[in-house]
Amino acid sequence: MSSMTETCRLALTPGEPAGIGPDLCIAAAQQAQAEELIAVCDPELLTERAARLRLPLALEPFDPERPPTPSVPGRLLFDAAATLAAPAQAGELNPANAAYVLNTLRAACDGCLNGRWDAMVTGPVHKGVINDAGLAFSGHTEFLAERCRRDGEPTPTPLMLLATPGLRVALATTHLPLAEVPKAITEPLLERIIRIMVNGLRERLGIPHPRILICGLNPHAGEGGHLGHEEQAVLIPVISRLQAEGMDLQGPLPADTVFVPHRLQQADAVLAMYHDQGLPVLKHLGFGQAVNVTLGLPIIRTSVDHGTALDIAGTGRANLGSLTAAIALAAEMVQTTR
């Protein structure tokens, strides 16, 4: 895939079959796309949901030997890498289909690793029902990192970054209970995360000299040690070392003033220390239009910024905005890395 103008092949995983992921895939297929989209799923799921939504959908099996072509309205390629264990009912979770969901993710990830497609775009999964089925699962980010591990090598460190127009936020820790966050933020982890973030912004997003704002862990960034010691013990030493290497880093900064407009105008991204420190601000700004990106992996992966929305699955009320943005960003990242 050497040509800069070659059509991108994007694997699309609908996620939880009872949620809005299938609805979004079908809605995306109603529009012309500059990219070739391949739904990695049980085609019967899409056929049945399209009938419920009363939307036209012509499904065609993916042929890797055929040159990629842009998607046309009403047509969607599929790769039947997994089969539902039980019929999927919109809005009704079924643990029997949990393994199916993970199998679609494995197939999409493996296809990116072996060059079958250029990137993967993921729909929302339901962590609870997967764990209820007895399958340990903390999220896409960690699952894909483990799947990308090469024999004899450590698991890649993934970095979750969410992007919406005007703001990019990465997370030093992802799906951890709040009580576990302070001990998880060590000097080795933080240095690794910042290096991944800088390299990812350069190599995947085409930002040659990333400017990054780094949040403190504690209120007021620790108030000089009076409101916590992590800034002095961990954050400041790491930031100082990397600044000495030439990285454009500011911090640790109080999280309650990092997101004011004049600071964001001087930065390309913000690094938050934990999930709910950074994401409420981003989702307030761009919910339904934001994209979740996983940096630090040997593959390109983007995702929607929302959950399964079981209450509106199969109703036609799902908002396509985040999936559209995730598809566009995945394609942009592919072109950047070619």
Side-chain angles (χ1 to χ4, degrees):
M1 301 193 177
S2 58
S3 171
M4 290 295 292
T5 58
E6 187 176 354
T7 300
C8 298
R9 272 188 168 145
L10 305 181
L12 187 58
T13 57
E16 168 53 47
I20 61 170
D23 304 36
L24 295 175
C25 292
I26 294 162
Q30 305 305 305
Q31 304 177 356
Q33 305 280 351
E35 303 75 32
E36 183 174 77
L37 303 182
I38 304 98
V40 181
C41 66
D42 187 331
E44 287 300 315
L45 169 64
L46 298 183
T47 297
E48 293 171 4
R49 191 65 61 86
R52 175 171 177 148
L53 295 170
R54 297 182 180 178
L55 291 174
L57 186 66
L59 291 172
E60 298 180 14
F62 170 66
D63 178 3
E65 300 302 319
R66 185 181 55 77
T69 57
S71 298
V72 298
R75 168 180 164 272
L76 183 62
L77 301 179
F78 71 89
D79 186 288
T83 303
L84 287 165
Q89 303 297 326
E92 299 179 17
L93 294 172
N94 187 343
N97 286 324
Y100 157 83
V101 172
L102 298 187
N103 285 337
T104 64
L105 297 180
R106 291 187 185 97
C109 182
D110 292 352
C112 291
L113 288 169
N114 65 30
R116 189 175 177 87
W117 20 72
D118 298 301
M120 62 184 290
V121 179
T122 59
V125 297
H126 193 287
K127 299 182 186 72
V129 75
I130 295 173
N131 283 279
D132 287 345
L135 303 171
F137 182 80
S138 58
H140 276 109
T141 304
E142 299 84 357
F143 180 87
L144 294 174
E146 181 59 34
R147 191 68 185 176
C148 287
R149 184 177 64 85
R150 295 181 173 91
D151 290 343
E153 296 183 7
T155 301
T157 300
L159 176 63
M160 180 187 292
L161 180 142
L162 276 88
T164 196
L167 182 60
R168 301 181 186 94
V169 177
L171 305 178
T173 60
T174 52
H175 301 114
L176 280 181
L178 190 57
E180 296 180 15
V181 170
K183 61 178 178 287
I185 299 176
T186 63
E187 285 196 49
L189 173 78
L190 187 61
E191 180 171 335
R192 190 161 64 246
I193 287 294
I194 294 174
R195 290 188 186 279
I196 290 169
M197 187 174 181
V198 170
N199 290 336
L201 291 170
R202 284 176 181 159
E203 297 171 7
R204 298 294 199 198
L205 296 174
I207 301 171
H209 305 290
R211 302 165 300 167
I212 299 173
L213 306 179
I214 300 176
C215 297
L217 173 66
N218 297 293
H220 300 182
E223 196 74 69
H226 296 287
L227 289 176
H229 66 278
E230 287 84 2
E231 285 76 14
Q232 282 72 26
V234 178
L235 275 71
I236 291 174
V238 170
I239 293 169
S240 297
R241 284 201 301 272
L242 298 181
Q243 285 173 330
E245 293 183 13
M247 295 186 191
D248 191 343
L249 311 175
Q250 294 184 48
L253 300 169
D256 61 348
T257 55
V258 161
F259 297 98
V260 297
H262 80 272
R263 279 202 182 277
L264 294 179
Q265 289 169 5
Q266 303 168 19
D268 297 299
V270 175
L271 178 62
M273 292 298 103
Y274 56 93
H275 190 281
D276 284 11
Q277 184 183 58
L279 296 195
V281 180
L282 183 135
K283 292 195 176 186
H284 173 73
L285 178 65
F287 188 72
Q289 304 296 324
V291 182
N292 185 350
V293 181
T294 306
L295 299 177
L297 301 182
I299 66 171
I300 293 172
R301 177 256 174 167
T302 66
S303 184
V304 296
D305 71 339
H306 55 74
T308 54
L310 296 167
D311 57 323
I312 62 170
T315 67
R317 289 160 41 208
N319 187 330
L320 189 59
S322 184
L323 181 61
T324 298
I327 290 169
L329 184 56
E332 179 184 329
M333 292 169 71
V334 170
Q335 299 295 352
T336 297
T337 58
R338 281 180 170 168

